[in-house]
Amino acid sequence: MRIGFGYDSHRFESGKPLVLGGVTIPDEDGLKAHSDGDVIIHAVIDALLGAAALGDIGSHFPDTDSAWKGADSALLLASVVRELFAAGWKTGNLDVTVICEHPRIRPHAAKIRSNLAEILKVPESAVSVKGKTNEKLDDIGAGLGIEVHAVCLLFPLDSATGV
Ligand code: MG
């Protein structure tokens, strides 16, 4: 089996929706980014690619490429999952920690878990999403943005069944 770790952070930017793990969160500013700024999915993509040693999100979806401007990060994750399958890997489990002063993550965690599980083709019981504040420390603690850490395991696909 292989382990992967991913990290991402983005600062808030008004005038766009906040999308976390494919869930649009009402009444919050969005995140400044070339794509939709889905900081959870970006960290998850880097964890998956890292586990397979297949590069990183920047090498797959360069922010200099207008094709990814405003991109739906859920579609990017689905494409990475297909690439992992092609390389002979399936996701074992995923554990995500979201650090921000707002919004509160827990009320949205179930929907985020089910979104991620569907894209990764794993049961929801294999996906964990936890929210924390930074106890007012540093820029995240000042409420300027959101930071995400993600850890995953990959297992080899069964060569007989492809599952
Ligand atoms: Mg990002």
Side-chain angles (χ1 to χ4, degrees):
M1 84 181 76
R2 305 287 287 269
I3 190 168
F5 171 75
Y7 168 85
D8 197 24
S9 62
H10 285 267
R11 64 170 57 244
F12 288 112
E13 178 179 69
S14 59
K16 62 191 289 195
L18 178 62
V19 183
L20 293 177
V23 177
T24 301
I25 313 286
D27 305 321
E28 293 277 349
D29 285 338
L31 295 169
K32 182 175 169 61
H34 186 67
S35 68
D36 62 3
D38 193 326
V39 62
I40 290 182
I41 287 187
H42 296 178
V44 169
I45 286 174
D46 264 358
L48 293 168
L49 290 174
L54 284 172
D56 60 26
I57 189 169
S59 61
H60 283 65
F61 312 105
D63 63 8
T64 51
D65 186 337
S66 60
W68 313 122
K69 186 161 172 46
D72 178 348
S73 295
L75 297 179
L76 307 187
L77 177 57
S79 143
V80 166
V81 169
R82 283 194 297 275
E83 184 177 344
L84 290 175
F85 268 76
W89 296 107
K90 62 182 176 184
T91 306
N93 76 303
L94 171 71
D95 185 19
V96 175
T97 298
V98 185
I99 309 168
C100 55
E101 302 304 306
H102 61 89
R104 292 186 62 236
I105 298 303
R106 192 174 303 146
H108 307 288
K111 179 64 180 147
I112 294 171
R113 288 177 66 201
S114 83
N115 271 359
L116 294 175
E118 186 177 333
I119 300 168
L120 295 172
K121 304 184 189 308
V122 298
E124 284 179 35
S125 59
V127 178
S128 160
V129 174
K130 315 185 301 294
K132 294 185 70 64
T133 74
N134 214 32
E135 296 288 344
K136 306 267 195 271
L137 287 165
D138 301 331
D139 286 346
I140 296 295
L144 298 183
I146 301 180
E147 176 176 314
V148 177
H149 302 248
V151 179
C152 70
L153 286 183
L154 297 182
F155 291 103
L157 286 170
D158 185 321
S159 55
T161 65
V163 176

